[in-house]
Amino acid sequence: MDDERVSLPRRLARRVRLAHVAAIRARLVRPLDGRQGSVAGRHPLRVLLIGSGPVVGWGVGSHDLALPGAVARSLAAATDRGAVVDVVPHPSGGVRKLHRMLDAADIDRYDAVVLSAAVADALRFAEPHAWGTQLHRLLTDAHRRGPRTVLWLGAQPIRSIRPYDTPSGRLADAHAELLNAVARATCHDTGSLFVPLAAPPRVGGRRHRTPGDYLFWARQIVDALAPALQECAAQRAVPTPQAAARVGAIERLKLSRRGGDVRLEGIVGTAKRTLGTEIAMFTVLDDAREWPLASTGSVLESIPIEQSACIHTIQTPDGMVVLNAVEDERFAGNALVAGPAGLRYYAGYPVEAPDGTRIGALCVFGRAPRERADGEADLDVLRELALLAQRELWRWEPTAEV
């Protein structure tokens, strides 16, 4: 039903009833952990989910079980590449709010951005023409900022959301279909992808949403997303991490206060044992030096940034391997290579702060050169372990310290 044909009192009454249901929904569980889902793999694709509705993760307690984790797993399965899916959720954000969120997000480092606000605006009975104009501006701006692929999530049937399975929900359902039609045309005009989410199969129980629901939606999203990403064969350019950005990210994480961490030490120890190297470290780089946040087999407290191998690693799209350092002009004269340590082999994978700034690397060093096939296999392991180390880094709560 066209919202303009409904009287103002009835529209206000509907909004009051729907606001009451929204207050109930606001008490539902939703993820409060690190805002990322990931699957390790070569040349990982990066996707940003931003907005409200399914992006928030209502009904589950972890983003791994919500849409970010489900999209990461589905995308990795569809492309045979790694996937890192970040999320910037807002419980009730509409198109206007998304524009402000987009302004604050560093989206040029992503291969795709997925935007979601249709459910929130359908429940508000947004005026379709003005809403379409705002959406056109949002999608155009998203494309201008750099992602190769921009995808808009259409509203799923409103009555498939348990709190809205009411007569008022029926009216909102009709309005959602109207907004979806506007969104489909707007996506066509702006060169964006449009995915109208279907209602997930209902199962027994009283849970608002289940991990199965998010996997159901993730497959719909990836069916549209994967072909578009595979058409872009060129690798995404990796922005060179500026020293000032690293310093700021390190300070926000308060890493200078962080002492020994059993979990990080365990990850580093696993890298050393698994890859059979003499040294393994989780390094952090500021503007002047590199130091180990966790290490095994090394007694170095820090080295000048000029002697760092990890400074090169954080500038690569997918990690770095040096098979024999004496044959690499970047490192042949390095004191760790030419001096008593006699290091020859290096492999490292970047580690990021929550805002995406690359601040260090998980790396291993050996005293004997290796073959290229061995180096590639080692890098596969480091990808997995670097993501684990990154999550541990993000879990630390520096504000809890006195």
Side-chain angles (χ1 to χ4, degrees):
M1 181 182 297
D2 190 328
D3 193 51
E4 294 179 345
R5 296 172 57 190
V6 181
S7 68
L8 179 59
R10 289 184 61 192
R11 284 158 52 192
L12 290 174
R14 291 202 317 251
R15 291 192 182 189
V16 169
R17 289 193 295 270
L18 292 170
H20 173 70
V21 178
I24 297 174
R25 187 190 67 171
R27 295 193 292 270
L28 294 172
V29 65
R30 59 189 175 101
L32 298 175
D33 58 349
R35 295 178 174 182
Q36 187 181 86
S38 60
V39 174
R42 299 188 180 188
H43 305 297
L45 295 163
R46 299 195 68 107
V47 177
L48 176 65
L49 309 178
I50 184 167
S52 56
V55 166
V56 175
W58 299 109
V60 298
S62 167
H63 285 297
D64 271 333
L65 299 177
L67 204 57
V71 169
R73 291 187 290 274
S74 298
L75 189 58
T79 62
D80 287 327
R81 295 174 64 173
V84 177
V85 181
D86 294 325
V87 58
V88 182
H90 189 284
S92 59
V95 167
R96 290 182 180 178
K97 181 64 178 179
L98 256 64
H99 218 136
R100 293 192 290 272
M101 295 169 71
L102 198 68
D103 287 339
D106 181 19
I107 67 171
D108 62 345
R109 63 191 181 96
Y110 293 97
D111 296 291
V113 59
V114 177
L115 299 160
S116 174
V119 171
D121 283 335
L123 293 173
R124 294 186 183 102
F125 295 93
E127 195 283 314
H129 178 73
W131 186 84
T133 300
Q134 294 164 2
L135 179 61
H136 192 286
R137 190 182 306 119
L138 174 70
L139 297 177
T140 301
D141 191 33
H143 281 287
R144 180 181 61 80
R145 291 169 180 263
R148 297 190 181 100
T149 304
V150 176
L151 185 148
W152 176 259
L153 288 184
Q156 72 267 35
I158 300 297
R159 294 193 67 187
S160 71
I161 307 171
R162 290 184 186 273
Y164 301 108
D165 191 7
T166 65
S168 296
R170 185 182 301 112
L171 295 173
D173 219 349
H175 197 73
E177 292 179 8
L178 182 60
L179 295 187
N180 278 349
V182 172
R184 187 186 298 275
T186 304
C187 287
H188 181 269
D189 290 344
T190 59
S192 308
L193 298 177
F194 174 71
V195 174
L197 295 180
R202 283 203 172 182
V203 295
R206 299 176 59 85
R207 292 188 64 178
H208 179 74
R209 289 289 176 219
T210 70
D213 294 338
Y214 291 106
L215 183 58
F216 176 81
W217 283 328
R219 288 169 176 161
Q220 295 176 53
I221 293 168
V222 169
D223 282 347
L225 204 56
L229 293 177
Q230 288 177 322
E231 287 179 6
C232 302
Q235 290 296 307
R236 177 184 68 257
V238 177
T240 301
Q242 299 298 318
R246 294 199 307 272
V247 170
I250 291 167
E251 175 57 29
R252 286 190 293 275
L253 287 168
K254 301 293 188 294
L255 295 187
S256 61
R257 300 183 191 175
R258 187 163 183 163
D261 186 300
V262 174
R263 291 184 294 268
L264 289 179
E265 296 286 354
I267 292 169
V268 167
T270 298
K272 180 177 181 291
R273 292 190 302 273
T274 304
L275 303 184
T277 57
E278 284 79 11
I279 298 170
M281 294 193 292
F282 177 11
T283 65
V284 176
L285 299 90
D286 59 20
D287 57 340
R289 66 189 181 108
E290 170 192 305
W291 77 92
L293 205 58
S295 68
T296 180
S298 172
V299 295
L300 288 175
E301 292 187 1
S302 68
I303 60 172
I305 202 80
E306 295 80 11
Q307 297 182 28
S308 169
C310 294
I311 192 67
H312 299 279
T313 293
I314 64 175
Q315 298 174 28
T316 64
D318 197 33
M320 184 179 79
V321 173
V322 178
L323 300 174
N324 190 348
V326 297
E327 298 176 356
D328 191 313
E329 63 181 11
R330 295 172 297 178
F331 309 114
N334 191 299
L336 298 175
V337 176
L343 299 179
R344 296 292 180 267
Y345 176 70
Y346 168 89
Y349 197 83
V351 173
E352 299 178 351
D355 66 357
T357 302
R358 292 182 167 194
I359 57 171
L362 185 69
C363 60
V364 294
F365 297 85
R367 294 192 174 92
R370 296 195 177 186
E371 300 295 324
R372 181 166 299 279
D374 294 331
E376 289 298 319
D378 289 351
L379 202 57
D380 287 341
V381 174
L382 284 176
R383 285 188 193 94
E384 293 274 4
L385 295 176
L387 284 171
L388 289 176
Q390 186 170 282
R391 290 189 179 190
E392 291 299 334
L393 186 72
W394 294 5
R395 284 174 56 182
W396 190 55
E397 295 290 345
T399 56
E401 295 218 343
V402 178

